[in-house]
Amino acid sequence: MGKPMLEELTIERLSYGDEAVAHLSDGRVAFIEGACPGDRVRVDITEGKERFVRGHVTDIIEASPDRVDPRAPFEIECGTCGWQLVAYERQLVEKRDNIVAQLVKVAHVDAERAQSIVAPCIPSDRPWGYRNKLEFACATDASGFTMGYHRKGADGIVSPKEFPLGSHALAKAPKAVRGALRFLAGSNDLGIYRVGIRGSMRTKSLEVALWTEGGNFPRVAVAGTLARALKASSIVRVATGGPQGARKVKGVEVLHGTGYWKERLCQQSFKITAPSFFQVNTEQAERLVETTLEALDVREGDEVADLYCGVGTFTIPLARTGAHVYGVESYSSSVRDLRRVAEETELDIDVIGGDAARELPMLGHLDAVLVDPPRAGLDASLVKSIAEAGPTKVAYVSCDPATWARDVARFEAQGYELTRATPVDLFPQTYHVETTSLLIRK
């Protein structure tokens, strides 16, 4: 489009992403970095297309009343908390508005109905310091071992001094781990490409997971050095194989301690191994579970399927109602973790390791189904299979408003009606949001 051009714009809203939205005088949508709704700004347009442009703020002409000073500007550069320019109360409004917009745009729900269905976003008590897990990229360069974040659109890794999204349980761990591994490596490459650190404020459990390619690894030296550097209850190596971007876990080696991270959620202790997923905001995860179970209203004796159940975040509370629960999960480490807690609790749970679409038809009559799929949502064939199973109620928990809205339309085409949707803010200072919703069979 030639040389970049400057425009004066009034910012209207936040997108589902780190950019804010405005409109040029010619009607094109402008996606702007570094802006807050209500700002009057001068922007540098760096990319232009027929229907939209992209740019970034160069000057703030008039600041929005919802603009705040960023607590961690570095995190904006790395894309880890791009909404921190916006007051937290406004973040909650914008998250709800994004969900309403997706219902209208993708599911073709009437705007008035969408507004009536979507509840206010449930806020986090901790807008900062809420994460129970931090993950870092690792590399070895001319200066030695480095551990930190990638900057957006830039090469190399940079290491911040503070991690304001991390909970108090993680406050000192990153610096200790980075120093220990840097000392141990010297000028050698340890083969570590990722480090994950989980810390619980409830159980005081702390685990360090070192992700490496398979092959030789200085297990004893690494375990000893890290154990002296910090009080970790578990240190593990996750050995992987395959091309970058599609690595598969080959095995988990316990280098020190228990070999799992322990967290307590909804009055239940979970022992979670390094490859298994667990929500990063424990307190808000409880609100997500409570809101979902209140809507689903499962009764004693009900037959319930929990698809994509993971380590049992929803499975265990469902079973505590007296229902018989089928927990279906394809990821092997999560299956093992759930089987362990199911055996410990002696609840009425059938843990099934397998693909949800393949296993569902074999479960027979179901009174209710709960789905918590990955970001890509549900396959159209699975929506049809759930409808054929005939549950009266379907609870759908989603981390992506667009794929959720698409699947809502598919369920409504199969004879279900979306009756409620509640955003729960598990990720303050970011655009991410969880939505828990209820569909009732007509």
Side-chain angles (χ1 to χ4, degrees), residues 133-383:
K133 181 181 183 181
L134 295 173
E135 280 199 330
F136 305 99
C138 303
T140 301
D141 55 25
S143 65
F145 178 83
T146 181
M147 178 182 116
Y149 297 137
H150 291 288
R151 276 197 175 98
K152 289 190 293 186
D155 295 329
I157 295 172
V158 288
S159 302
K161 295 180 180 180
E162 297 180 338
F163 306 91
L165 291 184
S167 73
H168 292 308
L170 296 171
K172 298 179 181 179
K175 182 178 179 180
V177 171
R178 183 171 58 210
L181 293 178
R182 190 175 180 85
F183 167 79
L184 184 66
S187 60
N188 300 313
D189 186 353
L190 296 174
I192 301 170
Y193 65 84
R194 186 201 310 174
V195 169
I197 307 174
R198 278 172 163 158
S200 170
M201 292 193 292
R202 297 181 172 186
T203 69
K204 310 306 178 185
S205 176
L206 179 71
E207 179 174 77
V208 178
L210 311 174
W211 292 69
T212 76
E213 298 286 352
N216 295 329
F217 185 74
R219 300 169 180 80
V220 175
V222 169
T225 303
L226 283 175
R228 289 190 293 271
L230 75 168
K231 294 181 179 179
S233 52
S234 175
I235 302 172
V236 299
R237 174 205 182 191
V238 183
T240 64
Q244 187 174 356
R247 294 184 174 107
K248 294 185 177 180
V249 175
K250 290 185 173 181
V252 178
E253 297 178 274
V254 180
L255 306 181
H256 169 81
T258 60
Y260 56 79
W261 177 65
K262 191 174 181 179
E263 182 60 302
R264 190 164 186 83
L265 181 109
C266 295
Q267 302 181 345
Q268 176 62 50
S269 292
F270 289 84
K271 298 173 182 176
I272 304 135
T273 50
S276 297
F277 171 79
F278 196 83
Q279 291 286 5
V280 300
N281 188 334
T282 302
E283 290 181 355
Q284 283 297 89
E286 284 189 333
R287 290 187 173 95
L288 182 68
V289 172
E290 291 163 0
T291 304
T292 303
L293 265 63
E294 184 272 330
L296 199 56
D297 192 25
V298 169
R299 307 296 177 87
E300 185 174 357
D302 282 354
E303 297 284 327
V304 183
D306 181 7
L307 309 182
Y308 307 95
C309 65
V311 299
T313 305
F314 294 97
T315 316
I316 301 300
L318 280 170
R320 289 196 184 281
T321 67
H324 174 221
V325 184
Y326 300 96
V328 183
E329 172 59 47
S330 62
Y331 199 56
S332 58
S333 68
S334 296
V335 172
R336 289 192 293 270
D337 290 345
L338 177 53
R339 282 179 175 155
R340 174 167 50 201
V341 71
E343 291 171 1
E344 290 174 353
T345 58
E346 298 182 349
L347 293 169
D348 192 5
I349 300 170
D350 282 342
V351 182
I352 301 170
D355 177 73
R358 187 180 66 246
E359 301 295 338
L360 180 63
M362 295 185 281
L363 301 184
H365 167 76
L366 295 170
D367 296 292
V369 170
L370 188 152
V371 295
D372 184 9
R375 199 169 299 279
L378 301 175
D379 188 88
S381 62
L382 181 55
V383 174

Side-chain angles (χ1 to χ4, degrees), residues 37-59:
D39 279 346
R40 180 71 182 169
V41 293
R42 186 174 291 109
V43 303
D44 184 358
I45 304 298
T46 55
E47 178 187 358
K49 301 292 184 182
E50 183 178 351
R51 300 180 62 183
F52 69 91
V53 301
R54 281 195 162 86
H56 57 83
V57 173
T58 59
D59 296 291

Side-chain angles (χ1 to χ4, degrees), residues 5-24:
M5 61 180 184
L6 294 176
E7 290 269 353
E8 288 189 9
L9 301 174
T10 298
I11 303 301
E12 301 161 16
R13 60 182 176 84
L14 294 173
S15 70
Y16 185 69
D18 288 337
E19 298 166 316
V21 177
H23 282 83
L24 300 185

